[in-house]
Amino acid sequence: MHKIPSSDITPEHIYRSRRRFLRGIGALAIAGLGVAACGNTADPPPARTPGPVSRQSDEFGDPLNTYEQITTYNNFYEFTTSKEGVAQLSRNFRTTPWAIDIGGLVHKPQTIAIEDILKRYPSEERIYRLRCVEGWSMVIPWLGFPLRNLLADVEPMSEARYVRFETLYDPEQMPGQRDRWYNWPYVEGLRLDEAMHDLTILSAGLYGNLLLPQNGAPLRLVVPWKYGFKSIKSIVKIDLVAEQPTSLWMAAAPHEYGFYANVNPNVPHPRWSQATERRIGEFERRPTLLFNGYADQVAHLYTGMDLRANY
C-alpha cells in the first residue's frame, strides 16, 4: 500500500483549527436536527452544499468525488432500485425523532437519540474509498466516529462474537420496502473484531454537512475495505450476538453475497469480474485493490482464512 507522503502530514496549528471546525459541525448538526424536528415535514428539506474538507484527495492522491456525484448516484433499495431516483424519492424522509436501540449480549443496553449520539461521540473527517460490488467506486469525505467507541460504552459480554445492524422498516416512507422479493428490514453484520477496528465508523455526515437521506441519514455504517452493501444505512438497531447474522443479501442470493464481502479482485462475482472498477466521474476502468487498498490495516483479521470460501 502507498504511504502518505510527509508533505501531507498536517501542521499542528492547522490540525487544531480543523478539530475546532469538526466540533462546530457536530454542534451545527445537533442544531439542524432540532430545526428539522420543529419544521413542517411535508416540506422538502433545504438544499445543502458541500462544506470545507481537510484534503481534496485520498492517500493515493485520487481526488474526492464531487458532492453532487455522491448525493445523486446512490444504491438504497428501500426507496428504489434506480440509483438516480433515490434522491427524489427520499427527499421527505423523516430523520427526527430518531433513536438507536443497542442491546443483545451487552452489560449496558441503551436507547440513544441521534442528538445524544452526536453530542457524545464527536465526529472526525475520514476520507475513504467506497467500492460497490457492482464494479463502481467513489472517494468520499465522511464525518463520523469509530464504532468501537459506542460498543465500548455498552460493554459487550464475553459471549458476543458478532454485531448485527438493522435499518428502519417503514414502507410508507420507504416505498421500495413494499417489494416482497427481499426480506425486509435490511440487516447486516460484522465480526466483533471487524466492528472494533479503527477504520470502521458510524457516519452522520459527509463534506462537512449532515447526511442526506439518500446517503443513509441520520446514521450509517462505513466499512471501507468491504463492498458498499455492508455499510448499512439509516440504522435503528445494533445488537451484539453470538451467532453470525444473516444479512438481507445473504438471504436473497447466498451463492452471490457472502458474509464477509471483502473487496477482492481475485474473487469474481458469479456474474461479473471484480478485477477492475470504474470510478464515478471517470471513463477508464482501474484495477481493483485487495481490501479496497486497506490491506496493510486489515489483512491480519483474516490470517489463515480462505478468502475464496469466505467471500
Side-chain angles (χ1 to χ4, degrees):
M1 178 177 178
H2 300 290
K3 302 299 183 183
I4 299 174
S6 59
S7 60
D8 283 349
I9 298 174
T10 308
E12 183 177 2
H13 71 283
I14 297 176
Y15 169 81
R16 292 186 183 279
S17 68
R18 287 176 184 162
R19 294 295 294 177
R20 287 194 294 271
F21 161 73
L22 292 172
R23 286 196 295 270
I25 286 296
L28 177 63
I30 294 165
L33 286 167
V35 170
C38 297
N40 182 355
T41 57
D43 295 332
R48 296 182 187 142
T49 56
V53 293
S54 66
R55 295 170 57 204
Q56 296 297 323
S57 64
D58 67 6
E59 70 271 26
F60 296 159
D62 290 335
L64 305 180
N65 280 91
T66 68
Y67 187 74
E68 181 180 7
Q69 289 168 338
I70 296 168
T71 58
T72 61
Y73 191 84
N74 310 102
N75 271 337
F76 206 163
Y77 279 23
E78 282 85 343
F79 293 101
T80 175
T81 58
S82 167
K83 293 176 178 57
E84 293 81 4
V86 176
Q88 177 64 29
L89 281 174
S90 66
R91 65 198 306 261
N92 291 320
F93 182 63
R94 296 185 298 275
T95 58
T96 55
W98 194 282
I100 293 91
D101 292 325
I102 307 164
L105 298 174
V106 299
H107 292 288
K108 295 182 177 180
Q110 301 180 33
T111 298
I112 314 177
I114 185 62
E115 298 89 342
D116 294 329
I117 287 177
L118 295 177
K119 289 178 185 177
R120 189 183 300 181
Y121 306 103
S123 288
E124 57 190 65
E125 183 182 87
R126 297 286 186 98
I127 296 175
Y128 284 161
R129 291 171 294 284
L130 171 69
R131 171 59 155 84
C132 181
V133 72
E134 297 168 344
W136 56 267
S137 63
M138 293 188 184
V139 180
I140 301 176
W142 300 105
L143 289 172
F145 62 91
L147 172 60
R148 67 182 182 188
N149 294 350
L150 183 150
L151 296 180
D153 284 348
V154 297
E155 297 183 6
M157 296 179 182
S158 59
E159 304 97 311
R161 297 180 59 234
Y162 296 89
V163 184
R164 180 187 183 276
F165 305 86
E166 188 173 308
T167 293
L168 176 71
Y169 178 69
D170 187 347
E172 289 190 8
Q173 289 199 85
M174 298 170 135
Q177 290 179 334
R178 298 168 191 159
D179 184 347
R180 297 304 178 186
W181 174 260
Y182 299 102
N183 185 25
W184 305 109
Y186 199 102
V187 169
E188 257 305 341
L190 293 174
R191 223 169 51 193
L192 184 57
D193 58 345
E194 296 175 319
M196 297 293 283
H197 194 281
D198 182 65
L199 288 179
T200 305
I201 64 170
L202 290 173
S203 174
L206 60 83
Y207 259 116
N209 284 307
L210 287 174
L211 290 177
L212 291 171
Q214 60 264 37
N215 295 113
L219 194 70
R220 64 169 291 162
L221 181 70
V222 180
V223 194
W225 71 92
K226 295 179 179 288
Y227 291 119
F229 67 85
K230 293 293 289 188
S231 294
I232 186 171
K233 304 177 181 77
S234 302
I235 297 169
V236 294
K237 192 174 184 182
I238 301 174
D239 284 326
L240 281 88
V241 296
E243 302 298 325
Q244 180 179 290
T246 299
S247 70
L248 177 139
W249 282 108
M250 291 170 65
H255 63 293
E256 296 189 354
Y257 303 103
F259 176 78
Y260 285 96
N262 291 321
V263 176
N264 191 337
N266 303 311
V267 178
H269 185 280
R271 289 181 282 132
W272 57 80
S273 170
Q274 296 288 15
T276 64
E277 64 193 64
R278 182 179 67 85
R279 181 69 45 82
I280 298 302
E282 298 179 355
F283 294 103
E284 300 295 328
R285 298 187 71 83
R286 58 171 65 206
T288 296
L289 301 176
L290 181 63
F291 296 112
N292 205 22
Y294 299 99
D296 285 356
Q297 294 100 315
V298 303
H300 68 277
L301 297 174
Y302 311 103
T303 300
M305 290 179 60
D306 181 349
L307 298 181
R308 289 185 177 273
N310 296 282
Y311 58 91

